[in-house]
Amino acid sequence: MSEKQKIIIMPFKKGRRGSLTPGEMREASSAASAERTVDAMASRFAGVAAFEVTVDDENGYFSSPRLLHSCGSIIDLSKDD
């Protein structure tokens, strides 16, 4: 298995009727870098969040994202529904 940790940054925009919609995801090189990027992007979006996820490139498996840092309104992808 080739599991590795990835940190992703996800901006959120206000959609129709005030709902949140995810924007384009980007990868960060570290948790500290992700936190700085989230803070820098916060003024341009309804919300921005950094998540950590475990990915297995061989079989396409990825774990539930774990929230690292956020600003504003976000959809918490780490919730188990």
Side-chain angles (χ1 to χ4, degrees):
M1 231 188 258
S2 63
E3 287 186 353
K4 53 185 153 180
Q5 302 285 58
K6 289 192 177 186
I7 299 172
I8 58 169
I9 299 167
M10 178 76 70
F12 294 92
K13 302 174 188 176
K14 287 279 186 186
R16 292 182 180 206
R17 299 184 194 119
S19 64
L20 291 174
T21 59
E24 187 174 332
M25 178 176 54
R26 66 175 69 176
E27 193 171 343
S29 59
S30 69
S33 170
E35 186 172 338
R36 287 190 303 273
T37 302
V38 166
D39 291 341
M41 293 174 66
S43 66
R44 299 189 315 264
F45 294 93
V48 186
F51 296 93
E52 181 179 60
V53 65
T54 302
V55 178
D56 184 336
D57 290 332
E58 289 180 14
N59 64 20
Y61 166 81
F62 59 95
S63 66
S64 292
R66 182 174 65 89
L67 181 63
L68 298 176
H69 181 67
S70 67
C71 288
S73 301
I74 66 163
I75 300 169
D76 188 353
L77 304 176
S78 63
K79 289 183 180 175
D80 292 326
D81 291 329

